[in-house]
Amino acid sequence: MNIHQLNVQYDERHDRLLVRIKTVQEQEIRLWLTRRIGIKLVEPLQTTVARIESLDPSVALADEESRKILVHLKQEDFLKKADLNTPYSEEKSELPMGALPMLVTEVTIHVHANGLTQLVIKDAGDEAQEPRSCTLNMQSFMVHGLLHLLQQAVHRSQWLEPIDPPDTDDGTSEAANPRRSQKKVYTH
């Protein structure tokens, strides 16, 4: 499967990240990332990018602090060269995994000696859906791209925003203020 485009968008209605992967062969894989998986995937992808870049002899010879700086510079270099302006192709594509996105329950990442990265993505399934899985082989620039898009989508989701503590009974609570005790309605 030769990946042509990646897209990661926050879906507010489902409170999930929708990952769409379009191949050169006009196939599309759709994945749902929950908050837990979406946030937990960032660090392993960062580690993967560092491992990939450490395969470069100039990076591998550096001390730990220098290696972090060099990996950061390579990430910035990738972002300068990446085509992040071309919109994701919405043309109809074949959906080999089905129209319903896979609900990702597990991701395993392998970095090979040649820098190729393999992501094994699994959906454990349930009573309504059989277990599914797919394997993506990604070149280093695609891993950089996936990491960047995932970080942007997590930021847009506001999943990492702090939650305000509940009000204390200082006259602003619902009991002290009848207008605040009206039923609250939350909409998307």
Side-chain angles (χ1 to χ4, degrees):
M1 174 185 322
N2 293 323
I3 298 172
H4 174 62
Q5 282 186 308
L6 295 171
N7 182 275
V8 183
Q9 293 296 319
Y10 173 65
D11 185 310
E12 188 173 345
R13 180 172 172 261
H14 290 99
D15 194 29
R16 294 181 178 160
L17 300 180
L18 177 62
V19 179
R20 296 186 304 166
I21 303 156
K22 174 98 44 155
T23 68
V24 175
Q25 297 83 11
E26 294 301 319
Q27 294 181 328
E28 183 176 271
I29 306 293
R30 296 176 179 171
L31 310 169
W32 276 131
L33 299 182
T34 60
R35 179 179 188 205
R36 181 179 63 87
I37 293 288
I39 291 171
K40 286 179 84 172
L41 188 56
V42 171
E43 187 177 330
L45 283 175
Q46 289 171 327
T47 302
T48 299
V49 164
R51 286 185 62 205
I52 292 167
E53 296 306 337
S54 293
L55 295 173
D56 178 342
S58 64
V59 176
L61 295 175
D63 61 80
E64 187 62 32
E65 191 61 34
S66 298
R67 191 170 21 257
K68 286 179 183 179
I69 293 168
L70 289 170
V71 167
H72 179 73
L73 290 172
K74 287 194 175 260
Q75 179 73 15
E76 284 182 359
D77 186 50
F78 160 78
L79 291 174
K80 287 178 188 172
K81 294 176 182 174
D83 179 7
L84 299 172
N85 296 321
T86 301
Y88 186 81
S89 174
E90 298 293 342
E91 293 178 19
K92 282 206 171 224
S93 299
E94 180 186 342
L95 303 170
M97 301 300 293
L100 210 68
M102 284 176 51
L103 180 58
V104 177
T105 55
E106 182 181 331
V107 178
T108 306
I109 303 172
H110 303 283
V111 178
H112 298 281
N114 63 0
L116 190 67
T117 301
Q118 184 179 66
L119 274 69
V120 179
I121 301 167
K122 296 181 181 175
D123 175 350
D126 56 22
E127 311 80 45
Q129 180 68 49
E130 290 288 319
R132 300 184 283 174
S133 69
C134 69
T135 301
L136 303 174
N137 293 309
M138 304 176 81
Q139 295 176 335
S140 65
F141 68 91
M142 282 291 176
V143 179
H144 278 279
L146 179 59
L147 173 60
H148 177 73
L149 293 172
L150 182 61
Q151 287 172 321
Q152 283 185 325
V154 167
H155 177 74
R156 279 191 305 274
S157 74
Q158 299 179 342
W159 289 341
L160 300 176
E161 297 291 319
I163 298 173
D164 293 330
D167 292 336
T168 57
D169 198 6
D170 60 359
T172 61
S173 69
E174 291 180 2
N177 188 345
R179 290 184 68 188
R180 291 191 63 184
S181 64
Q182 294 174 355
K183 184 177 179 182
K184 295 178 180 164
V185 178
Y186 298 95
T187 60
H188 290 293

